[in-house]
Amino acid sequence: MVTIGCVKKTLYFSVFVLISICGVMVAILWPTVFRMLIEKDLTLRESSKSYRAWKHTTLPLYLDFYMFNWTNPQESLSNPNVKPIVVEVGPYVFREVHEKLNLTWNANNTVSYWQRRTWYFEPELSRGSLSDEITNVNVVAVTIATMADQIHVKYSDLVKKIINMFLKNTEKKLYIKKTVRELLFDGYDDGVLDLMKKLENLIKIPVQDRFGWFYPVSL
Protein backbone atom coordinates (compact mmCIF):
# COMPACT_ATOMS: atom_id res chain seq x y z
CA MET A 1 0.00 0.00 0.00
CA VAL A 2 1.38 3.36 -1.03
CA THR A 3 1.45 5.83 1.80
CA ILE A 4 1.54 9.60 1.76
CA GLY A 5 5.06 9.46 3.18
CA CYS A 6 6.28 7.37 0.25
CA VAL A 7 4.68 9.75 -2.22
CA LYS A 8 6.40 12.73 -0.58
CA LYS A 9 9.77 10.97 -0.58
CA THR A 10 9.36 10.05 -4.24
CA LEU A 11 8.34 13.61 -5.10
CA TYR A 12 11.26 15.13 -3.20
CA PHE A 13 13.66 12.70 -4.82
CA SER A 14 12.30 13.48 -8.29
CA VAL A 15 12.62 17.22 -7.69
CA PHE A 16 16.17 16.74 -6.40
CA VAL A 17 17.12 14.66 -9.45
CA LEU A 18 15.54 17.23 -11.78
CA ILE A 19 17.37 20.11 -10.11
CA SER A 20 20.63 18.16 -10.21
CA ILE A 21 20.20 17.43 -13.92
CA CYS A 22 19.42 21.11 -14.60
CA GLY A 23 22.48 22.16 -12.59
CA VAL A 24 24.73 19.80 -14.53
CA MET A 25 23.26 20.98 -17.84
CA VAL A 26 23.77 24.63 -16.90
CA ALA A 27 27.35 23.95 -15.81
CA ILE A 28 28.06 22.20 -19.11
CA LEU A 29 26.20 24.54 -21.45
CA TRP A 30 26.67 27.91 -19.69
CA PRO A 31 30.11 28.73 -21.21
CA THR A 32 28.69 28.09 -24.69
CA VAL A 33 25.51 30.08 -23.99
CA PHE A 34 27.50 32.91 -22.43
CA ARG A 35 29.83 33.06 -25.43
CA MET A 36 26.85 33.13 -27.79
CA LEU A 37 25.28 36.02 -25.86
CA ILE A 38 28.55 37.94 -25.90
CA GLU A 39 29.03 37.38 -29.62
CA LYS A 40 25.44 38.39 -30.32
CA ASP A 41 25.36 41.64 -28.34
CA LEU A 42 28.97 42.79 -28.04
CA THR A 43 30.57 41.67 -31.28
CA LEU A 44 30.73 44.76 -33.45
CA ARG A 45 28.39 44.39 -36.39
CA GLU A 46 25.64 46.56 -37.79
CA SER A 47 22.96 44.30 -36.29
CA SER A 48 24.45 44.13 -32.76
CA LYS A 49 23.05 46.11 -29.84
CA SER A 50 26.42 47.72 -29.13
CA TYR A 51 26.86 49.04 -32.67
CA ARG A 52 24.69 52.13 -32.30
CA ALA A 53 26.34 53.21 -29.04
CA TRP A 54 29.78 52.60 -30.54
CA LYS A 55 29.08 54.51 -33.76
CA HIS A 56 27.49 57.52 -32.10
CA THR A 57 27.85 58.43 -28.43
CA THR A 58 24.57 58.00 -26.59
CA LEU A 59 25.74 58.97 -23.11
CA PRO A 60 26.28 62.72 -22.60
CA LEU A 61 29.92 63.82 -22.43
CA TYR A 62 30.63 67.26 -21.02
CA LEU A 63 33.79 69.34 -21.10
CA ASP A 64 34.23 72.24 -18.67
CA PHE A 65 36.60 75.14 -19.38
CA TYR A 66 37.72 77.64 -16.77
CA MET A 67 39.47 80.86 -17.82
CA PHE A 68 41.67 83.14 -15.75
CA ASN A 69 41.16 86.86 -16.29
CA TRP A 70 44.19 89.06 -15.59
CA THR A 71 42.61 92.13 -14.01
CA ASN A 72 45.67 94.39 -13.47
CA PRO A 73 48.15 93.74 -16.31
CA GLN A 74 49.43 97.31 -16.70
CA GLU A 75 49.92 97.90 -12.99
CA SER A 76 51.61 94.57 -12.29
CA LEU A 77 53.95 94.88 -15.29
CA SER A 78 54.98 98.47 -14.59
CA ASN A 79 55.40 98.07 -10.83
CA PRO A 80 57.39 95.08 -9.50
CA ASN A 81 55.75 95.53 -6.10
CA VAL A 82 52.28 94.91 -7.51
CA LYS A 83 51.30 91.27 -7.80
CA PRO A 84 49.25 90.08 -10.79
CA ILE A 85 45.62 89.50 -9.91
CA VAL A 86 43.77 86.78 -11.80
CA VAL A 87 40.11 85.90 -11.40
CA GLU A 88 38.72 82.51 -12.33
CA VAL A 89 35.69 82.69 -14.61
CA GLY A 90 33.50 79.93 -15.93
CA PRO A 91 32.85 77.15 -16.33
CA TYR A 92 32.12 77.28 -20.04
CA VAL A 93 30.46 73.93 -20.64
CA PHE A 94 30.50 72.04 -23.93
CA ARG A 95 28.69 68.85 -24.84
CA GLU A 96 31.01 66.53 -26.74
CA VAL A 97 29.69 64.15 -29.40
CA HIS A 98 31.77 61.39 -31.00
CA GLU A 99 30.70 59.96 -34.33
CA LYS A 100 32.49 57.35 -36.42
CA LEU A 101 32.29 57.87 -40.18
CA ASN A 102 33.52 56.22 -43.39
CA LEU A 103 33.34 52.74 -41.90
CA THR A 104 35.14 49.97 -43.79
CA TRP A 105 34.57 46.36 -42.72
CA ASN A 106 37.80 44.49 -43.39
CA ALA A 107 38.25 40.81 -44.24
CA ASN A 108 40.27 40.18 -41.04
CA ASN A 109 37.27 41.01 -38.81
CA THR A 110 38.40 44.56 -38.11
CA VAL A 111 36.82 47.88 -38.99
CA SER A 112 38.49 51.07 -40.18
CA TYR A 113 36.86 54.43 -39.60
CA TRP A 114 37.35 58.17 -39.19
CA GLN A 115 36.17 59.67 -35.91
CA ARG A 116 34.61 63.11 -35.80
CA ARG A 117 34.34 65.01 -32.52
CA THR A 118 31.90 67.88 -32.27
CA TRP A 119 31.48 70.32 -29.39
CA TYR A 120 28.22 72.12 -28.65
CA PHE A 121 28.20 75.04 -26.25
CA GLU A 122 25.69 74.62 -23.41
CA PRO A 123 24.76 78.13 -22.19
CA GLU A 124 22.31 76.77 -19.60
CA LEU A 125 25.10 74.87 -17.85
CA SER A 126 27.69 77.63 -18.21
CA ARG A 127 28.52 80.73 -16.24
CA GLY A 128 29.15 83.24 -18.97
CA SER A 129 29.04 83.36 -22.76
CA LEU A 130 31.58 82.77 -25.50
CA SER A 131 31.65 86.52 -26.15
CA ASP A 132 33.10 87.24 -22.69
CA GLU A 133 36.40 89.09 -23.02
CA ILE A 134 39.36 87.66 -21.14
CA THR A 135 42.68 89.40 -20.52
CA ASN A 136 45.40 86.81 -20.67
CA VAL A 137 49.11 86.32 -21.18
CA ASN A 138 50.16 86.87 -24.79
CA VAL A 139 51.14 83.26 -25.35
CA VAL A 140 52.21 83.84 -28.96
CA ALA A 141 54.69 86.62 -28.20
CA VAL A 142 56.11 84.87 -25.13
CA THR A 143 56.49 81.55 -26.96
CA ILE A 144 58.13 83.08 -30.03
CA ALA A 145 60.52 85.12 -27.88
CA THR A 146 61.54 81.95 -26.04
CA MET A 147 61.87 79.93 -29.25
CA ALA A 148 64.09 82.57 -30.86
CA ASP A 149 66.98 81.61 -28.57
CA GLN A 150 66.51 77.92 -29.37
CA ILE A 151 66.55 78.13 -33.16
CA HIS A 152 69.65 76.41 -34.54
CA VAL A 153 69.35 76.33 -38.31
CA LYS A 154 71.09 77.92 -41.26
CA TYR A 155 70.95 81.71 -40.97
CA SER A 156 69.73 81.29 -37.37
CA ASP A 157 71.42 84.54 -36.28
CA LEU A 158 69.60 86.44 -39.01
CA VAL A 159 66.30 84.81 -38.08
CA LYS A 160 66.76 85.71 -34.41
CA LYS A 161 67.53 89.33 -35.28
CA ILE A 162 64.44 89.59 -37.48
CA ILE A 163 62.22 88.17 -34.73
CA ASN A 164 63.70 90.37 -32.01
CA MET A 165 63.43 93.50 -34.16
CA PHE A 166 59.82 92.69 -34.99
CA LEU A 167 58.89 92.17 -31.35
CA LYS A 168 60.53 95.46 -30.35
CA ASN A 169 59.24 97.56 -33.23
CA THR A 170 55.66 96.36 -32.87
CA GLU A 171 55.85 96.84 -29.08
CA LYS A 172 54.20 93.52 -28.47
CA LYS A 173 52.52 93.51 -25.09
CA LEU A 174 52.74 90.64 -22.66
CA TYR A 175 48.97 90.54 -22.41
CA ILE A 176 46.02 90.40 -24.79
CA LYS A 177 42.25 90.75 -24.53
CA LYS A 178 40.25 88.23 -26.54
CA THR A 179 36.87 86.55 -26.34
CA VAL A 180 36.48 83.06 -24.93
CA ARG A 181 35.50 81.82 -28.39
CA GLU A 182 38.71 83.22 -29.90
CA LEU A 183 40.93 81.86 -27.14
CA LEU A 184 39.46 78.36 -27.31
CA PHE A 185 38.32 77.43 -30.80
CA ASP A 186 38.17 80.21 -33.39
CA GLY A 187 41.68 81.48 -32.81
CA TYR A 188 42.88 85.00 -33.58
CA ASP A 189 45.31 86.67 -35.98
CA ASP A 190 48.70 87.80 -34.76
CA GLY A 191 51.44 89.66 -36.61
CA VAL A 192 54.10 87.45 -35.02
CA LEU A 193 52.49 84.37 -36.54
CA ASP A 194 52.39 86.09 -39.93
CA LEU A 195 56.13 86.74 -39.65
CA MET A 196 56.89 83.18 -38.53
CA LYS A 197 54.80 81.85 -41.40
CA LYS A 198 57.06 83.72 -43.84
CA LEU A 199 60.14 82.28 -42.11
CA GLU A 200 58.70 78.76 -41.95
CA ASN A 201 61.06 77.35 -44.58
CA LEU A 202 64.07 78.74 -42.73
CA ILE A 203 63.19 77.71 -39.18
CA LYS A 204 61.90 74.28 -40.26
CA ILE A 205 58.98 74.52 -37.82
CA PRO A 206 55.32 74.33 -38.96
CA VAL A 207 53.41 77.49 -38.05
CA GLN A 208 49.64 77.93 -37.92
CA ASP A 209 47.97 81.02 -39.36
CA ARG A 210 46.02 81.71 -36.14
CA PHE A 211 46.34 80.86 -32.48
CA GLY A 212 43.71 79.26 -30.27
CA TRP A 213 44.09 76.57 -27.65
CA PHE A 214 41.97 74.17 -29.73
CA TYR A 215 42.29 75.85 -33.12
CA PRO A 216 41.55 74.74 -35.88
CA VAL A 217 38.71 72.84 -34.19
CA SER A 218 35.49 74.73 -34.94
CA LEU A 219 32.15 74.74 -33.17
Side-chain angles (χ1 to χ4, degrees):
M1 181 177 180
V2 179
T3 63
I4 296 177
C6 291
V7 173
K8 287 184 177 180
K9 289 181 180 180
T10 303
L11 181 61
Y12 291 155
F13 179 76
S14 300
V15 172
F16 173 76
V17 171
L18 181 61
I19 293 175
S20 299
I21 293 174
C22 291
V24 172
M25 293 296 292
V26 169
I28 295 174
L29 297 178
W30 174 245
T32 302
V33 174
F34 181 75
R35 185 170 59 254
M36 291 174 60
L37 293 174
I38 291 295
E39 291 178 353
K40 178 182 177 182
D41 293 335
L42 296 184
T43 299
L44 195 61
R45 60 171 66 93
E46 292 182 284
S47 59
S48 63
K49 293 182 179 179
S50 59
Y51 174 76
R52 184 177 179 182
W54 173 82
K55 187 175 185 295
H56 193 285
T57 51
T58 54
L59 294 177
L61 300 174
Y62 293 102
L63 194 60
D64 295 358
F65 290 99
Y66 291 86
M67 310 297 290
F68 292 90
N69 188 38
W70 190 358
T71 61
N72 64 338
Q74 295 181 351
E75 296 84 351
S76 57
L77 289 174
S78 60
N79 188 345
N81 296 320
V82 177
K83 295 182 179 180
I85 299 175
V86 293
V87 177
E88 181 182 274
V89 292
Y92 300 91
V93 182
F94 293 82
R95 178 169 51 89
E96 185 175 348
V97 176
H98 295 187
E99 186 177 8
K100 297 175 177 65
L101 306 172
N102 300 333
L103 274 65
T104 302
W105 301 92
N106 304 311
N108 61 347
N109 294 324
T110 62
V111 58
S112 304
Y113 60 89
W114 175 73
Q115 180 168 266
R116 179 173 64 188
R117 295 183 179 182
T118 309
W119 287 269
Y120 299 93
F121 181 61
E122 297 288 344
E124 298 82 6
L125 303 177
S126 304
R127 291 184 179 179
S129 70
L130 297 182
S131 59
D132 292 347
E133 289 190 330
I134 304 294
T135 300
N136 218 311
V137 174
N138 189 343
V139 178
V140 175
V142 173
T143 302
I144 297 302
T146 303
M147 286 178 55
D149 294 330
Q150 301 175 358
I151 295 176
H152 300 289
V153 295
K154 190 177 182 180
Y155 308 118
S156 59
D157 291 338
L158 176 60
V159 172
K160 293 176 184 178
K161 288 181 180 180
I162 294 175
I163 295 175
N164 290 330
M165 288 178 59
F166 182 85
L167 292 175
K168 290 180 180 179
N169 292 337
T170 56
E171 296 182 350
K172 278 293 178 181
K173 297 180 180 179
L174 290 177
Y175 62 92
I176 55 169
K177 179 182 285 188
K178 300 294 179 182
T179 64
V180 174
R181 178 185 290 273
E182 289 175 317
L183 290 172
L184 289 179
F185 293 100
D186 287 1
Y188 57 88
D189 297 320
D190 192 285
V192 179
L193 289 178
D194 295 337
L195 173 65
M196 297 302 293
K197 195 71 177 176
K198 295 176 181 178
L199 299 175
E200 193 172 22
N201 292 331
L202 286 177
I203 62 177
K204 307 299 181 182
I205 299 175
V207 180
Q208 291 186 339
D209 57 334
R210 298 165 67 87
F211 174 78
W213 291 112
F214 291 91
Y215 179 81
V217 174
S218 59
L219 297 177

